[in-house]
Amino acid sequence: MSDDSLPSPAGTRTAAVIPAAGRGVRLGPGAPKALRTLGGTPMLIHAVRALAASRAVSLVVVVAPPDGAAEVRSLLDAHALPERTDFLVVPGGETRQESVRLGLDALPPGHDIVLVHDAARPLVPVDTVDAVIEAVREGAPAVVPALPLADTVKEVEPATTPGTPEPVLATPDRARLRAVQTPQGFDRETLLKAHSTITEDVTDDAGMVEKLGQRVVVVPGHEEAFKVTRPLDLVLAEAVLARRRLNDGF
């Protein structure tokens, strides 16, 4: 944890919602993705610690699988977490969108900034968390960390049969594209309005705010905030964690 992370000024409190109800089918059979271990510790615990590492975050709400809230509470109790941060576990829904909404419903009054973070991004640095919070404090209703794309991107006509060739429709200008990460940060009222107004499925919460016509801004993301989705991602995450432990001496 960094002692230099962003403090919480008087009158401004930040809460983080971590939806962790997904099964993670692309990682194969077994425990839900958020409960897979990384360096011997569940990814969810890494993600919770990453958000709580920011001194601005006073509450972390973990949205558990619908039938797994007790298990997740036991998991949090079994691992060392910052004492200055409050933690809450609530059961989630059938979709990510529903789970985030249930997490928002559980927030007590007084938290004006809300972060939404993927449990499958266990290694996000505290500097990235703080940069998102600072941008919301400065007046942006929605903030996303993002990285420029290294690869050329093609827009295609999706194949009706998986694995068959797909016709290319266009090559977007890569300079105008970003790969979006989390935590995404929001003015609380803006995010609540988005979840009460937007009913169609979206891939992230910032997309819901966009549909409201509200401004969404991007701040620099970090290469270590990648999403652990496939087995190779887990190998990379283990390597990053091993390097951190070697550098930090723990």
Side-chain angles (χ1 to χ4, degrees):
M1 184 187 309
S2 170
D3 290 336
D4 298 325
S5 64
L6 200 66
S8 183
T12 302
R13 302 180 72 196
T14 299
V17 175
I18 303 180
R23 297 299 306 179
V25 293
R26 282 177 286 183
L27 276 177
K33 178 165 43 177
L35 304 186
R36 304 291 179 92
T37 58
L38 173 60
T41 300
M43 280 201 293
L44 174 60
I45 297 299
H46 286 287
V48 168
R49 287 173 174 167
L51 273 291
S54 171
R55 290 188 294 155
V57 175
S58 58
L59 171 66
V60 176
V61 178
V62 179
V63 187
D67 57 352
E71 180 184 2
V72 170
R73 285 191 193 98
S74 297
L75 198 66
L76 294 183
D77 289 341
H79 291 82
L81 299 170
E83 292 184 1
R84 58 177 165 72
T85 308
D86 293 327
F87 300 93
L88 183 64
V89 178
V90 297
E94 294 302 316
T95 66
R96 182 187 185 280
Q97 198 165 332
E98 184 182 358
S99 291
V100 172
R101 182 182 56 77
L102 290 168
L104 292 174
D105 289 345
L107 290 180
H111 294 86
D112 301 320
I113 296 173
V114 180
L115 306 179
V116 181
H117 183 59
D118 296 330
R121 296 184 190 270
L123 301 177
V124 59
V126 67
D127 288 350
T128 302
V129 179
D130 285 343
V132 170
I133 295 170
E134 183 63 26
V136 180
R137 284 182 182 173
E138 291 176 352
V143 180
V144 296
L147 293 176
L149 297 180
D151 298 318
T152 297
V153 176
K154 302 289 185 184
E155 181 185 356
V156 303
E157 181 65 44
T160 54
T161 304
T164 58
E166 298 174 318
V168 171
L169 301 178
T171 303
D173 180 3
R174 187 174 63 187
R176 297 174 62 87
L177 301 176
R178 297 292 183 269
V180 171
Q181 301 175 326
T182 69
Q184 298 185 355
F186 305 89
D187 166 75
R188 178 176 180 165
E189 292 305 316
T190 299
L191 186 57
L192 289 173
K193 182 178 179 181
H195 272 270
S196 65
T197 305
I198 307 302
T199 56
E200 64 263 36
D201 285 339
V202 294
T203 56
D204 70 346
D205 296 273
M208 300 175 73
V209 175
E210 288 175 49
K211 288 181 179 295
L212 290 180
Q214 294 270 17
R215 183 170 63 104
V216 178
V217 302
V218 167
V219 297
H222 196 281
E223 61 183 5
E224 292 182 1
F226 61 89
K227 192 172 186 178
V228 178
T229 301
R230 298 174 177 83
L232 186 59
D233 301 327
L234 198 54
V235 174
L236 179 58
E238 291 280 6
V240 171
L241 186 60
R243 187 187 68 188
R244 285 186 183 181
R245 287 177 169 170
L246 183 62
N247 292 340
D248 295 342
F250 69 91

